Amino acid sequence: AQPCCSLRVRCDVNTLSSCQLASLQRGVSVMKSRPASDPTSWQFQANIHGVLGAPTNPLFAQCEHGTIYFLAWHRAYLYFFERILRKASGDCYLNLPFWNWTASPTLPTPFRDPASAANPLYDGTRNINNGSALPANVVVNDLNTALGFTAFNSFSPALEGSPHGAVHVLVGGNMSSVPTAANDPIFWLHHGNVDRNWDVWLNMGGGRQNPADAAF
């Protein structure tokens, strides 16, 4: 087991133990139970990404899309959400898992079964709750195309367009729209995998590096 203060490692959701899955479910459930005005609530955190209508808080609707900061903004977003989720779960060992849709293109089973409001990971608005697989041309071919770019300014928009954006649309429902995407629990695991692939890209070498400008 990882000591609470050690370097943390995120893992594939399909490798979670029953205890790890229970902690994830408990953390999501606790966050969802909090009033939307609570900054550590599920709704408040989702609203930071986007909202329907005019934002009612200066922290809302802040996501970066179509800019050089897409990957960096979402990494910070995941990091602080993960800390809130961990504390809500009561499990100091909990790390946010990722959904490796390249290796496992169907929605993780705990996110679609049981298909009821009693399951904190379930979102009934999705198109792929029936276990249908994401197409390989998106989660394999498009990913490989993005990873093939050596310049960050080519890699980042390619990854953002597809598989990132395409997976959002294919999952459907709340996930298919920026204002509602973070309401779906799978959003966080999807972006965990996008973030992981940023690291994969850097470790491929060949001149791959992040922007060196001070703003980035």
Side-chain angles (χ1 to χ4, degrees):
Q2 293 178 346
C4 293
C5 58
S6 73
L7 178 67
R8 295 180 177 275
V9 178
R10 294 183 180 140
C11 61
D12 189 320
V13 64
N14 289 313
T15 69
L16 294 184
S17 67
S18 58
C19 288
Q20 290 172 319
L21 178 59
S23 290
L24 175 63
Q25 292 168 325
R26 184 168 60 251
V28 172
S29 182
V30 168
M31 288 182 68
K32 286 185 172 183
S33 73
R34 294 171 177 167
S37 58
D38 183 341
T40 68
S41 71
W42 188 265
Q43 191 61 60
F44 194 102
Q45 287 296 304
N47 288 349
I48 291 173
H49 189 264
V51 294
L52 291 168
T56 57
N57 186 298
L59 293 177
F60 293 170
Q62 293 297 311
C63 70
E64 290 283 342
H65 287 112
T67 77
I68 197 173
Y69 307 114
F70 165 71
L71 289 168
W73 187 92
H74 284 85
R75 174 168 287 181
Y77 188 40
L78 287 179
Y79 172 72
F80 287 103
F81 171 85
E82 183 176 46
R83 292 177 62 180
I84 294 168
L85 178 70
R86 182 179 300 127
K87 188 169 184 179
S89 76
D91 179 359
C92 71
Y93 295 100
L94 175 64
N95 300 321
L96 185 70
F98 59 85
W99 172 27
N100 185 349
W101 21 250
T102 301
S104 304
T106 59
L107 193 71
T109 302
F111 285 75
R112 52 189 169 88
D113 184 21
S116 73
N119 179 0
L121 305 180
Y122 180 70
D123 185 318
T125 69
R126 303 182 193 121
N127 294 334
I128 62 170
N129 281 326
N130 61 358
S132 57
L134 297 172
N137 66 295
V138 169
V139 295
V140 177
N141 299 351
D142 287 354
L143 176 61
N144 287 337
T145 296
L147 293 173
F149 290 109
T150 55
F152 182 89
N153 284 353
S154 297
F155 161 70
S156 181
L159 181 69
E160 181 180 356
S162 184
H164 162 260
V167 169
H168 269 283
V169 172
L170 290 164
V171 170
N174 285 327
M175 271 281 281
S176 65
S177 175
V178 170
T180 58
N183 285 279
D184 187 336
I186 201 60
F187 168 92
W188 304 96
L189 281 68
H190 170 46
H191 271 277
N193 198 44
V194 171
D195 188 74
R196 183 184 69 85
N197 276 297
W198 178 15
D199 194 58
V200 167
W201 177 78
L202 284 170
N203 284 301
M204 290 173 69
R208 293 169 174 81
Q209 59 185 352
N210 291 325
D213 65 283
F216 184 87

